Amino acid sequence: MYCVLALLVFFFSGYLIAFFSQKATLLIAAIFFFGAVFCFIMIRLVKNLTSTVKKRSIDIVSALVKVVEERDPNLNGHSIYVHNLVMLIWKHLPDSVRSSINPIDINYAAILHDIGKLGIPESILNKQGKLNDEEWAVMKEHPAKGVAILKQMAFFDKILPWIEYHHERMDGKGYYGIPAEKIPLESRIIAVADTYSAITMRRSYKPAKTYEEAIAIMKDAAGTQLDQDIVSLFCKIPRKEVEACAPDNVEVR
């Protein structure tokens, strides 16, 4: 895009110079003029193509999320809930931190964080009681399965680590056991949003907890499971903004 813009400026400038120069021929002026017109048309085409690709990407994402949540009634609305919470946290980050995170990238990472559950058997997803060790080992594969699904699309490359490590813990006891300093900031943000959503949503195997109960649980988990700074920031966000993140189809208290 920038190269085409540079060419547009070059041709249009050349056209103006040629047009107002007594030494330049009409042919030269025409060449520069039509070169500028060509570049302008290319810019419009690229812009339209980018808009179309973005819309198709959103459609694909929406379809994938719908498939995931239809397989597991307990997840109905969870991905949108987490997405809304993540974007709320992003909005409240300090300017210097927020500017380092592309909102479009974290937008996709948030809504697709559980896409790997497409590869988890429904018998495990829909189990009413506690998972046994073998079932839990299978469930813990969903971040890696999500990466395997999304890596087929190159424009998701940047967000793959964010999704893969969103269940890592600050004490190193997460799914992969990686140390805190290696957990991407975006993964830590998703983890906080994911935790709040899981606590406050009603599931078939547990009732929903209140905002106050969720905040208390998250404060206890800060520094061990969750990033302490992000939890602290989250707790300072006005309650009305947090509660407004729940989709209409999500039952919360």
Side-chain angles (χ1 to χ4, degrees):
M1 177 64 80
Y2 292 114
C3 292
V4 178
L5 282 172
L7 283 173
L8 174 59
V9 172
F10 169 76
F11 280 117
F12 189 69
S13 299
Y15 164 70
L16 291 177
I17 294 171
F19 183 81
F20 290 105
S21 174
Q22 296 180 351
K23 295 182 179 180
T25 66
L26 184 60
L27 177 61
I28 294 176
I31 291 173
F32 279 111
F33 174 77
F34 285 111
V37 170
F38 173 77
C39 290
F40 176 77
I41 293 172
M42 289 300 297
I43 290 172
R44 295 290 298 181
L45 287 174
V46 170
K47 184 177 180 180
N48 290 338
L49 179 60
T50 300
S51 178
T52 300
V53 170
K54 182 178 179 181
K55 185 179 184 303
R56 292 286 176 83
S57 299
I58 293 173
D59 291 341
I60 292 171
V61 167
S62 299
L64 287 173
V65 170
K66 185 176 181 180
V67 171
V68 172
E69 297 196 344
E70 284 184 349
R71 294 182 71 240
D72 183 0
N74 286 310
L75 285 178
N76 188 23
H78 171 70
S79 296
I80 299 296
Y81 197 6
V82 171
H83 164 267
N84 294 345
L85 290 166
V86 165
M87 298 314 294
L88 178 64
I89 295 171
W90 177 85
K91 185 181 77 172
H92 283 271
L93 289 171
D95 292 344
S96 58
V97 179
R98 186 174 64 253
S99 62
S100 69
I101 302 174
N102 185 306
I104 296 176
D105 289 335
I106 198 166
N107 189 313
Y108 281 132
I111 201 167
L112 289 169
H113 75 284
D114 270 343
I115 197 66
K117 288 184 178 178
L118 280 172
I120 304 300
E122 290 187 36
S123 59
I124 293 178
L125 290 176
N126 299 324
K127 185 175 180 179
Q128 297 294 315
K130 185 178 180 180
L131 300 180
N132 61 38
D133 290 344
E134 183 178 340
E135 292 167 335
W136 183 239
V138 174
M139 178 64 81
K140 288 169 66 175
E141 294 176 359
H142 82 265
K145 289 182 181 293
V147 169
I149 293 170
L150 296 176
K151 72 178 181 180
Q152 308 301 320
M153 294 169 273
F155 51 86
F156 286 142
D157 284 351
K158 187 176 180 179
I159 71 172
L160 297 184
W162 308 352
I163 291 174
E164 186 168 17
Y165 300 129
H166 77 274
H167 276 297
E168 293 312 293
R169 295 171 51 109
M170 303 307 292
D171 58 10
K173 297 179 181 180
Y175 283 14
Y176 298 105
I178 67 174
E181 63 271 14
K182 292 187 178 181
I183 304 174
L185 173 61
E186 296 82 1
S187 298
R188 303 181 191 195
I189 293 173
I190 294 172
V192 169
D194 191 26
T195 300
Y196 181 83
S197 172
I199 295 171
T200 57
M201 282 183 66
R202 186 187 69 81
R203 303 286 175 86
S204 61
Y205 51 85
K206 75 170 186 67
K209 293 187 180 297
T210 64
Y211 169 85
E212 292 85 359
E213 289 173 323
I215 291 298
I217 292 171
M218 292 171 69
K219 284 182 177 179
D220 286 342
T224 52
Q225 177 187 344
L226 304 172
D227 184 289
Q228 189 164 3
D229 291 336
I230 299 174
V231 170
S232 178
L233 180 146
F234 184 79
C235 293
K236 294 176 183 176
I237 298 174
R239 176 174 178 172
K240 287 185 178 180
E241 293 186 39
V242 174
E243 292 182 334
C245 290
D248 293 337
N249 64 323
V250 170
E251 184 178 338
V252 296
R253 289 177 61 190

